[in-house]
């Protein structure tokens, strides 16, 4: 049931944004733009939900999601940004990073997965890395999803109680609860170093998931100048009729049982 305090029709607004996203996608392809959108935030802040709503109406060959797992031993020996750089867009592509190189400034720092020296080097190198991306012609947008501890608590409980959402709750989530203040400090320090004029952080108030999705998508659309694209009409040609070819009977094939 929709929140009674909401003065908008969520699905109606989402449908409008979806149409504009399709226009944006066509514009990106036609103009050969290279777009990167980074989504960061606390656990259960709604990053995955907005990514799912963005990709829903789009061509996965143009709009791609990158959600990297734990680095391999080989990747750990590489330049830190190397495995992320491998997923940067070519002309006509939009890449959505579901978590990104900012892992080093967040979970790796707080959980002790990197050394202090590696962390300090990240804070020095990250702004220059992002400026390099912008100078290369990439449109780079960064979103931080902010959720209160009370709302995060509710979402964690829903994940635990719902078998369909249980997979979203990891052992790392349990550990992160005990380090709430450490994560807050890490986020503030990360912003202090990487919230630059060239590539600023945009904070999304994510306590209300539906509003957060609409606000974030609307903002992305506003940050990439584009024009409505004409969609050429398509007329289906008639099916060819070849009377010389006789198809084999259906009972020669194995069909899935119709249980519904």
């Amino acid at each position: 049931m929709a929140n009674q305090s909401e003065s908008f029709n969520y699905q109606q607004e989402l449908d409008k944004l979806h149409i504009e996203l399709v226009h944006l996608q066509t514009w990106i392809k036609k103009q050969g733009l290279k777009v990167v959108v980074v989504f960061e935030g606390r656990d259960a802040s709604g990053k995955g939900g907005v990514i799912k709503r963005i990709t829903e109406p789009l061509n996965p060959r143009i709009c791609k999601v990158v959600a990297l797992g734990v680095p391999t031993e080989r990747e750990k020996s590489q330049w830190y940004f190397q495995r992320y750089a491998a997923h940067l867009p070519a002309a006509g592509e939009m890449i959505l990073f579901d978590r990104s190189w900012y892992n080093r400034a967040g979970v790796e720092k707080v959980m002790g997965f990197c050394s202090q020296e590696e962390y300090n080097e990240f804070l020095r190198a990250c702004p220059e890395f992002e400026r390099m991306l912008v100078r290369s012609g990439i449109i780079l947008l960064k979103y931080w999803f902010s959720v209160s501890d009370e709302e995060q608590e509710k979402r964690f409980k829903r994940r635990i109680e719902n078998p369909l959402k249980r997979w979203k709750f990891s052992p790392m989530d349990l550990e992160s609860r005990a380090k709430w203040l450490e994560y807050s400090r890490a986020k503030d320090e990360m912003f202090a170093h990487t919230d630059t004029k060239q590539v600023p952080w945009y904070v999304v108030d994510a306590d209300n998931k539906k509003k957060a999705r609409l606000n974030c998508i609307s903002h992305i659309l506003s940050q990439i100048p584009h024009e409505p694209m004409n969609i050429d009409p398509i007329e289906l040609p008639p099916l060819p009729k070849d009377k010389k070819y006789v198809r084999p009977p259906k009972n020669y094939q194995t069909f899935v049982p119709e249980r519904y």
Side-chain angles (χ1 to χ4, degrees):
M1 181 179 292
N3 189 329
Q4 296 300 317
S5 64
E6 291 175 355
S7 59
F8 61 92
N9 184 308
Y10 168 72
Q11 193 56 52
Q12 223 172 56
E13 295 302 317
L14 183 61
D15 289 344
K16 292 177 187 175
L17 293 173
H18 274 174
I19 291 171
E20 195 171 346
L21 278 171
V22 172
H23 285 299
L24 174 63
Q25 169 187 256
T26 309
W27 182 259
I28 288 172
K29 182 68 175 175
K30 183 178 179 181
Q31 299 296 320
L33 301 182
K34 294 178 285 186
V35 179
V36 171
V37 188
V38 168
F39 296 89
E40 293 285 349
R42 291 187 183 273
D43 297 314
S45 61
K47 301 178 298 296
V50 75
I51 290 171
K52 185 182 293 185
R53 271 69 188 185
I54 291 171
T55 58
E56 192 175 10
L58 301 182
N59 183 341
R61 293 183 179 86
I62 296 175
C63 181
K64 304 174 184 180
V65 178
V66 175
L68 301 184
V70 177
T72 64
E73 288 304 313
R74 181 176 182 276
E75 288 172 331
K76 288 177 183 178
S77 70
Q78 295 174 341
W79 175 51
Y80 177 70
F81 296 98
Q82 188 168 336
R83 73 182 191 128
Y84 297 102
H87 297 276
L88 293 173
E93 292 180 346
M94 178 164 66
I95 306 298
L96 311 181
F97 278 96
D98 185 355
R99 294 201 180 279
S100 65
W101 45 89
Y102 281 101
N103 276 343
R104 175 136 295 176
V107 65
E108 289 189 20
K109 161 66 174 172
V110 174
M111 303 306 295
F113 296 154
C114 68
S115 67
Q116 185 65 36
E117 184 180 353
E118 289 172 327
Y119 171 71
N120 291 339
E121 174 57 25
F122 172 83
L123 294 181
R124 285 192 295 267
C126 182
E128 184 54 36
F129 170 68
E130 293 179 349
R131 283 191 283 267
M132 288 169 59
L133 297 184
V134 172
R135 287 197 300 268
S136 76
I138 289 175
I139 297 171
L140 176 57
L141 301 173
K142 302 185 302 190
Y143 292 94
W144 177 269
F145 281 68
S146 178
V147 63
S148 65
D149 51 352
E150 296 85 4
E151 181 60 26
Q152 187 187 50
E153 179 88 3
K154 293 176 187 175
R155 293 179 188 179
F156 277 166
K157 286 182 178 178
R158 287 197 291 268
R159 287 183 178 185
I160 292 171
E161 295 165 0
N162 187 342
L164 302 179
K165 294 184 177 181
R166 188 68 180 270
W167 65 271
K168 294 183 177 182
F169 198 86
S170 68
M172 193 66 66
D173 293 330
L174 288 173
E175 292 189 49
S176 69
R177 284 172 58 79
K179 295 181 179 290
W180 177 272
L181 290 178
E182 288 90 336
Y183 271 104
S184 295
R185 283 195 205 97
K187 179 257 182 181
D188 292 340
E189 188 167 2
M190 178 185 81
F191 266 49
H193 286 81
T194 63
D195 186 16
T196 62
K197 182 178 179 181
Q198 295 90 341
V199 191
W201 277 103
Y202 296 107
V203 179
V204 180
D205 184 346
D207 271 8
N208 184 312
K209 282 185 176 183
K210 290 182 177 180
K211 286 185 177 181
R213 292 167 188 167
L214 298 178
N215 288 331
C216 184
I217 296 172
S218 176
H219 190 267
I220 291 172
L221 290 165
S222 74
Q223 293 301 299
I224 308 173
H226 60 283
E227 298 176 6
M229 304 297 292
N230 292 325
I231 299 175
D232 297 329
I234 298 175
E235 186 175 336
L236 289 176
L239 287 173
K241 295 181 181 180
D242 188 349
K243 296 181 180 180
K244 295 179 182 178
Y245 176 68
V246 178
R247 300 189 68 183
K250 283 190 174 182
N251 59 12
Y252 279 31
Q253 304 171 55
T254 304
F255 282 85
V256 170
E258 294 190 12
R259 295 184 177 180
Y260 304 98

